[in-house]
Amino acid sequence: MLKEEHIGLSGRSTAAVVVAKEAIDTLKASLRGELIQPGDEDYEAARKVYNGMIDKHPALIARCADVADVIAAVNFGRENNLLVSIRGGGHNAGGLGICDDGLVIDLSRIRYTHVDPAAGTVRVGGGSTWGDVDHATHAFGLAVPCGIISTTGVGGLTLGGGLGYLTRKCGLAIDNLMAADVVLANGQLVTADEQQHEDLLWALRGGGGNFGVVTSFLFKAHPIQTVYAGPMFWDLEQAAEVMRWYRQFITEAPNALYGFFAFLIVPPGPPFPEHLRNKNMCGMLWCYTGPLEQAEETFKPIRALFPPALDFVGPIPHPMLQSMFDALYPPGMQWYWKADFVNELSDEAIRLHLKHGSQIPTMHSTMHLYPVNGAAHRVGKNDTAWSYRDATWAQVIVGVDPDPANKDRITDWARQYWDDLHPLSAGGAYVNFMMEEGEDRVKASYRDNYERLAAIKRKYDPTNFFRVNQNIKPAV
Ligand SMILES: Cc1cc2nc3c(=O)[nH]c(=O)nc-3n(C[C@H](O)[C@H](O)[C@H](O)COP(=O)(O)OP(=O)(O)OC[C@H]3O[C@@H](n4cnc5c(N)ncnc54)[C@H](O)[C@@H]3O)c2cc1C
């Protein structure tokens, strides 16, 4: 074969796959969006993801403009036997939106939100961010349960489960997912809802990007507009006492009251008071969605029990709460994640949390305990692919820093913290808080739902075409 007629797909010496240049030109001509290749002006920016630790070099990036582009890209990937990844918001910890030497189906141009206020639903393009959804729904006094940072992709966050400020009130993001349009591995577009392809909808509710490219999501929205929310911080000396109180409190609190616990270092600038800046503290991030006139009353006993060193809790528009940390966590920093589900916060667990939570290595690093109870517990553990409905918290330890020179420091801290706490955990972890940790860990996270997921995978993706994800292998 003549060299000129074929392209080594990575542009690097490790390229294992070659595809006829003509085929690439045909794909490029057929797309409404762009086909980006190594050497193109946009390539370096297009291959970057949120986690600066990830440095992958795809051979082709198909930045799709519509469903037809997605179908063309899926067919091209399959016909040319390419490794394929799906990129939504690009936030995945392990960089699972991108791949080395393969084809990235980049959905970042499929960004739209259509709110139906009468039906209380919102239709969202597969490459949208949660900021897009918050912006669109807020105008109608509505909100969809999402995460805590508005730049995160709707695609990855939803398909993995979706935890956030509204979890206790409205359930996980997947509990509000009514339908999805999916391009399957064979290039066919199907709609999964309660009437058709119900098995696929079940799997999409937690099974990640294993089953196809979701080009559009339909969500139930909730009448939530202004919430009473924000952070409260306390001195580390009070952390054990706060944690002991919190472990009971959050299992009994009304569903309208959500609060996640954190170890943190106070950012070194306004609006934080000077005497607290750079201080290692513990905190709660609250979100109350009950009647605003009852908010002060609700927080009165908490404030009386543990007078906070910092109290920024008050009325705030929901999208503002969602984007409160966006500026603190811009794209491109080094991130190392370790996670677990947790049923109980024993005295021993609290002791170990204090040991590591008091040694946070950098200002951006943190540990969060996100409650997954309240409305999320109303759904049975086999009703969706998301198995850990009996867990009380999703725990995440993240080492974060802008400087690549600190990569080992933040990684070691997170690993040691996790090593100590993991034996006290429920076993598996929330897949969206994991790096690439192997098959056993994925199985532990889906527990007895894994077999059913593997059977659905065999039906919709028998060759494991979509495997750049927390992979569920097709049942044999
Ligand atoms: C700063 C930060 C804050 C976070 N906060 C939260 C939080 O509060 N709650 C929470 O639950 N999670 C949170 N996460 C985790 C987040 O849910 C995952 O990182 C998720 O994978 C991000 O989705 P994405 O679309 O941005 O990622 P990408 O990297 O683009 O994609 C990740 C994976 O999702 C799949 N995927 C994405 N879009 C689609 C699609 N349209 N169709 C099919 N597959 C798709 C692909 O398989 C891909 O491998 C946070 C992450 C970060 C970095």
Side-chain angles (χ1 to χ4, degrees), residues 24 70 96 105 137 185 208 215 243 255 268 291 295 314 316-317 336 351 382 389 432 442 448 454 470 473:
I24 294 173
V70 174
L96 293 173
I105 299 180
T137 52
T215 52
M243 286 181 105
N255 288 358
I316 179 173
Y336 186 81
R351 187 185 70 77
N382 305 123
R389 297 286 177 169
N432 273 349
V442 175
D448 59 342
Q470 299 295 351
K473 297 214 165 51

Side-chain angles (χ1 to χ4, degrees), residues 86 88-92 96 107 126 147-148 153 156-157 163 212 214 430 432 468:
I86 309 165
H91 266 228
N92 188 266
L96 293 173
L107 304 174
I148 63 157
L157 182 137
L163 303 171
V214 179
Y430 175 36
N432 273 349
V468 183

Side-chain angles (χ1 to χ4, degrees), residues 138-417:
H138 189 67
F140 299 95
L142 296 170
V144 177
C146 48
I148 63 157
I149 301 244
S150 83
T151 54
T152 312
V154 171
L157 182 137
T158 300
L159 297 171
L163 303 171
Y165 290 117
L166 304 182
T167 298
R168 301 193 79 245
K169 170 85 170 169
C170 313
L172 308 181
I174 47 169
D175 300 337
N176 297 278
L177 175 64
M178 300 164 68
D181 290 344
V182 190
V183 177
L184 302 175
N186 63 8
Q188 194 193 346
L189 176 77
V190 297
T191 296
D193 60 22
E194 298 289 357
Q195 278 76 48
Q196 47 193 332
H197 301 292
E198 310 95 278
D199 54 350
L200 181 57
L201 181 65
W202 180 88
L204 293 175
R205 288 172 163 162
N210 272 283
F211 303 93
V213 184
V214 179
T215 52
S216 137
F217 296 87
L218 181 68
F219 291 103
K220 178 176 171 11
H222 298 262
I224 290 170
Q225 194 165 35
T226 299
V227 295
Y228 190 92
M232 271 182 198
F233 297 167
W234 295 274
D235 283 339
L236 266 190
E237 294 69 54
Q238 287 176 279
E241 216 186 332
V242 172
M243 286 181 105
R244 278 196 296 270
W245 162 79
Y246 171 64
R247 70 182 168 193
Q248 189 66 29
F249 175 81
I250 204 64
T251 62
E252 295 164 354
N255 288 358
L257 185 55
Y258 175 94
F260 76 81
F261 179 90
F263 283 110
L264 56 105
I265 291 178
V266 180
F272 300 97
E274 269 179 45
H275 70 284
L276 295 183
R277 290 180 193 170
N278 289 313
K279 203 171 161 181
N280 192 165
M281 302 187 83
C282 74
M284 290 289 307
L285 272 295
W286 297 107
C287 176
Y288 174 71
T289 46
L292 276 182
E293 59 278 10
Q294 290 173 22
E296 294 284 341
E297 262 324 286
T298 303
F299 281 91
K300 214 173 181 175
I302 302 171
R303 287 174 166 135
L305 194 60
F306 300 108
L310 175 140
D311 185 348
F312 285 171
V313 186
I316 179 173
H318 178 255
M320 229 182 206
L321 174 68
Q322 286 297 127
S323 53
M324 191 179 265
F325 301 118
D326 289 6
L328 188 61
Y329 290 107
M333 293 202 285
Q334 309 284 301
W335 285 75
Y336 186 81
W337 298 61
K338 289 299 281 183
D340 269 317
F341 283 115
V342 175
N343 291 335
E344 284 170 23
L345 206 46
S346 65
D347 288 345
E348 175 61 0
I350 291 175
R351 187 185 70 77
L352 293 167
H353 270 298
L354 272 168
K355 176 180 158 197
H356 297 281
S358 60
Q359 301 299 319
I360 295 180
T362 59
M363 190 272 285
H364 294 89
S365 300
T366 186
M367 189 288 300
H368 292 171
L369 276 170
Y370 297 105
V372 291
N373 55 12
H377 274 193
R378 276 195 224 127
V379 180
K381 70 185 175 69
N382 305 123
D383 293 348
T384 66
W386 210 85
S387 161
Y388 272 90
R389 297 286 177 169
D390 49 349
T392 313
W393 293 279
Q395 172 184 293
V396 67
I397 303 157
V398 280
V400 192
D401 197 66
D403 187 352
N406 284 330
K407 183 178 166 182
D408 290 342
R409 225 174 115 218
I410 58 176
T411 302
D412 290 349
W413 172 77
R415 280 196 184 136
Q416 284 163 16
Y417 197 150

